[in-house]
Amino acid sequence: MMISPIFFIFFVTLSSCYAAVQDFCVADYTAPQGPAGYSCKNPAAVTVDDFVYSALGVPGNTSNSNKLGVTAAFDSQFPGLNGLGLSMVRVDMAVGGVGPLHIHRGASELILLVQGTIKAGFIASDNTVYIQTLKQGDLMILPQGLLHFQKNIGDTPALIFASFDSPNPSVQILELALFQNDLPTELISEVTFIDTAEIKKLKGLFGGTN
Ligand SMILES: *[C@@H]1O[C@H](CO)[C@@H](O)[C@H](O)[C@H]1NC(C)=O
C-alpha cells in the first residue's frame, strides 16, 4: 500500500510536535515534589548553572563503617536533570570498603570502575548469582530491581562512577531495612527464619529497636 505524501508529512509533523512540548524541566525546589519529579522552574529564570554540577569532582568521605563515600547527582541536588530519566553517583571506596546488598527504585545501574579493583555482583529473580572482579576501566550493568553489591578487594582505594536510568533512583540497603527500624524481632525471625539472638545482635549493630 502506498502511503500518501500528505499523510506522511502530517504524521511526521504530529510526532515532532509531540516530542517538542518542552526542551527541559529544571527542578523548582520551591514547589512540592510529585511522582514524576519536581515541577518546572520558570524557563525565564533558568541559567546554564542549572545544567552544571561540580560536586562529583571531590572525593567522598569514607570514614564510616562501610568505608564508603557516596556523592549523588540526583534531581534533588542537580536541578537540570529533573524529568530527563537519568542521574549519576560518585562512589569512593577505601581499602576494604563495601557497598552492602541494596536495591534502587526502578533503575538499572551502569558502573564504571575508574580506579582500583572491586568485586561486584547481583542476584537475579531466580536467585542466580552473577559476580565479577572488575579492574580499572571495566563497566558492569546491574539490571533494575535486583539486589546487588560492591566490595573493594584491592589494596588501594577504589573509585566508581555510576549512572542510573532514573533522575532519582533512591537506595534501600537490605541490612538496614531489616535491622535499623522498629520491625519486631519476633516478626523478623518468623518471616526470615533468622534466629532471634542473631537479629538482636544485628539490631544492636545497626541501631534497630523492638
Ligand atoms: C568524615 O566523616 C567523619 C565521620 O562522620 C567525620 O568525623 C569527619 O570529620 C569527616 N571528614 C571530613 C573531611 O569531612
Side-chain angles (χ1 to χ4, degrees), residues 61-64:
N61 188 340
T62 57
S63 301
N64 51 60

Side-chain angles (χ1 to χ4, degrees), residues 37-105:
Y38 293 91
S39 303
C40 309
K41 188 170 164 180
N42 177 357
V46 168
T47 72
V48 67
D49 291 341
D50 292 313
F51 301 105
V52 177
Y53 189 66
S54 301
L56 269 55
V58 180
N61 188 340
T62 57
S63 301
N64 51 60
S65 54
N66 291 324
K67 301 180 179 171
L68 187 75
V70 179
T71 312
F74 297 161
D75 60 2
S76 41
Q77 294 89 24
F78 185 7
L81 55 71
N82 182 53
L84 295 178
L86 80 180
S87 60
M88 188 167 265
V89 290
R90 172 186 176 129
V91 182
D92 289 272
M93 303 180 89
V95 173
V98 62
L101 268 181
H102 65 281
I103 199 164
H104 301 284
R105 185 175 49 218

Side-chain angles (χ1 to χ4, degrees), residues 12-24:
V12 168
T13 310
L14 194 70
S15 27
S16 58
C17 286
Y18 179 78
V21 170
Q22 55 191 24
D23 287 339
F24 48 74

